Amino acid sequence: MDSLPDKHIRNISRSSRPRSSTRGPLDASDDPLALPKTPISPIKHESMLAADDTFSGASFYELDPLAPDDLPETLEKDLTFLLHHGNFHTLSHLDIPPPLRSEFLILNPGEPLSTSLGALEKLLAEGRFLIAAHFSASILTSSLISPTDIKIIFSLFYTRLACLDLSGNTVLAAQESKALEDLSSAFYYIDLKLESAAADNDKDPEHEQDPRHIVPWPLRVLAVRLQSIGFGDSRRSIGGLYEIGLEARREIMRSEATEAERELWKQRLADLGVRSVNALIEMGDFDAARRSLDSLRMSGPESNITKLRKALLLLRIGDLDAASQVFGDANERKEAALLKPLISMSDGRFADAVAEWRILGEDKTRTDGALVAQNLAVCLLYVGQLDEVLDPLYSIHLLEGSCERID
């Protein structure tokens, strides 16, 4: 039987634009996909830390728990085209203030891959995203990586793009995402039926799996946005989200899928709906974004994180009243508490925001102290309290040991 082509060929069976429908694929459905009310954890991830509390690098093998395992030899994919030095830009930290700079980590070719991955995990845990972006590219272009080790290659490529985006280098990430080319091409799909056909010729065709995508879901979602920026086509983002949304719905309705897998796919589908609204905002179409946000329907009760994401989108649109009403009466929740000073900032009430950020900063149980401190410093600038601006910032950096205060 012929093997899959090893070049990027457009899969003509998948639409490149949203289908005309009153209910899009990013709207959660109620009937065929109904699940038990009690959420089921789809995946039990291994800890990022090894037994001796050191970073082990295991998380890079777990980027997508539903991705196909190691491929059979007959279906191996050669990803050499993603490992070229020319795919990655040279990074610089010259635009970072000297007290906050860290030297780029140099890869030691004599160390095993697990050691390098552990070092990269540590950088990510410390929030050193620019350094992590540089180090992930160093690993990708080294002799430590086999061109057929798809899990590690895609995980490191995702880490590179995500860290560039988080460190303010979105344009570079958009350019580098082009190396993936067309993620809907047949190259990125595997047909597991080809491998098992000889051993199971009598298998019921109705229960055969559809071709599975080998790229981890987080990378696919990120690439949709970055490639739309890289190619200068904002509509590409909306079309790409709807395209993978259709695939997510097919996975949910797959008869052999477990309840845990369906729950994970439903979460992904809800996430795509929110991302589609964000894409419309980035296009500048605030009216369409507002309508899309109102029409989003979630299966079951919304989580606090989902509500917060909706509130932040409403703030970007400029609808402060709607944003303040997202949480209803749950004003004591941490997410709602975070939203209150953001609304004050959006309304230009920076003095109120200073007081509200200070209250949040006094809560030692919060894990977002750096975010609170940074926003407090910004508000202090707006109210003219320049002598107090450095205090919240240096309190965070001194705690992390990343700089020394210079008065």
Side-chain angles (χ1 to χ4, degrees):
M1 185 174 293
D2 295 336
S3 60
L4 290 176
D6 47 6
K7 288 187 177 180
H8 296 264
I9 301 175
R10 179 70 181 175
N11 190 337
I12 61 175
S13 64
R14 293 175 174 82
S15 174
S16 60
R17 64 176 183 84
R19 297 188 305 173
S20 300
S21 173
T22 56
R23 293 185 59 192
L26 305 186
D27 295 321
S29 180
D30 297 326
D31 293 336
L33 312 181
L35 294 175
K37 294 183 179 179
T38 304
I40 302 173
S41 178
I43 296 299
K44 295 182 179 180
H45 292 286
E46 296 179 6
S47 173
M48 181 186 294
L49 301 180
D52 58 351
D53 292 335
T54 59
F55 292 91
S56 64
S59 65
F60 290 99
Y61 293 90
E62 305 167 354
L63 180 59
D64 185 354
L66 299 184
D69 294 327
D70 294 336
L71 303 182
E73 293 184 0
T74 56
L75 296 178
E76 276 190 346
K77 298 290 185 179
D78 188 343
L79 302 181
T80 304
F81 65 95
L82 291 179
L83 307 180
H84 297 315
H85 286 82
N87 292 334
F88 307 104
H89 292 78
T90 302
L91 302 182
S92 171
H93 48 37
L94 294 180
D95 57 341
I96 300 175
L100 305 181
R101 292 179 189 172
S102 297
E103 294 297 327
F104 287 126
L105 195 62
I106 304 301
L107 179 67
N108 186 353
E111 293 180 345
L113 177 60
S114 59
T115 302
S116 299
L117 294 179
L120 181 56
E121 274 183 342
K122 188 173 186 295
L123 293 173
L124 296 174
E126 295 174 349
R128 301 165 65 186
F129 298 120
L130 185 64
I131 311 299
H134 176 272
F135 195 58
S136 59
S138 298
I139 300 176
L140 280 170
T141 55
S142 70
S143 59
L144 299 175
I145 299 295
S146 169
T148 58
D149 194 348
I150 63 172
K151 278 194 173 183
I152 288 298
I153 292 176
F154 285 135
S155 292
L156 291 173
F157 205 87
Y158 169 77
T159 301
R160 167 74 177 190
L161 297 181
C163 287
L164 286 176
D165 194 18
L166 290 171
S167 60
N169 294 284
T170 303
V171 174
L172 295 183
Q175 293 297 322
E176 293 184 7
S177 69
K178 293 181 180 180
L180 293 167
E181 300 187 26
D182 185 3
L183 286 176
S184 65
S185 68
F187 173 84
Y188 285 114
Y189 285 85
I190 59 171
D191 194 345
L192 297 178
K193 294 180 293 186
L194 297 177
E195 179 68 16
S196 60
D200 192 9
N201 293 326
D202 298 330
K203 186 175 180 179
D204 185 359
E206 294 184 358
H207 295 85
E208 292 180 344
Q209 291 186 351
D210 293 329
R212 308 303 299 275
H213 210 287
I214 64 174
V215 179
W217 183 260
L219 177 55
R220 296 177 66 187
V221 175
L222 179 62
V224 167
R225 175 174 176 265
L226 292 180
Q227 288 188 343
S228 69
I229 297 174
F231 289 105
D233 183 4
S234 56
R235 295 173 298 178
R236 184 187 182 104
S237 179
I238 298 293
L241 290 173
Y242 270 75
E243 189 169 345
I244 62 178
L246 288 170
E247 183 174 336
R249 291 181 65 84
R250 286 196 298 268
E251 291 294 331
I252 296 172
M253 293 185 288
R254 201 159 43 88
S255 59
E256 62 271 21
T258 64
E259 290 183 354
E261 291 174 342
R262 292 187 181 188
E263 177 63 23
L264 181 55
W265 280 111
K266 292 190 74 173
Q267 293 174 6
R268 290 176 172 180
L269 194 61
D271 172 70
L272 292 178
V274 176
R275 290 177 184 272
S276 68
V277 177
N278 186 68
L280 289 170
I281 293 175
E282 291 184 338
M283 292 171 58
D285 195 343
F286 299 123
D287 291 336
R290 188 68 173 85
R291 291 193 301 270
S292 298
L293 193 59
D294 290 338
S295 64
L296 283 181
R297 293 186 300 171
M298 306 294 176
S299 58
E302 293 181 343
S303 65
N304 290 328
I305 295 299
T306 301
K307 289 182 179 180
L308 180 60
R309 294 177 70 188
K310 283 188 173 183
L312 293 177
L313 290 174
L314 288 168
L315 287 181
R316 293 190 64 186
I317 294 172
D319 194 339
L320 304 186
D321 293 335
S324 62
Q325 297 173 4
V326 168
F327 281 90
D329 297 331
N331 292 322
E332 296 182 356
R333 297 189 181 278
K334 289 186 177 181
E335 291 80 5
L338 185 66
L339 181 63
K340 188 176 180 180
L342 290 176
I343 293 177
S344 297
M345 293 176 66
S346 300
D347 202 21
R349 296 181 285 107
F350 293 103
D352 295 340
V354 167
E356 291 160 355
W357 286 122
R358 288 191 190 278
I359 294 175
L360 291 182
E362 295 172 356
D363 185 359
K364 303 304 180 183
T365 63
R366 300 187 66 91
T367 58
D368 53 0
L371 182 148
V372 172
Q374 179 175 343
N375 280 279
L376 174 58
V378 171
C379 292
L380 288 170
L381 281 174
Y382 275 97
V383 298
Q385 300 179 19
L386 304 183
D387 56 332
E388 300 181 32
V389 169
L390 293 180
D391 292 333
L393 293 179
Y394 275 112
S395 66
I396 295 299
H397 292 302
L398 288 173
L399 182 63
E400 296 174 351
S402 58
C403 72
E404 298 180 359
R405 177 160 185 166
I406 303 175
D407 292 322

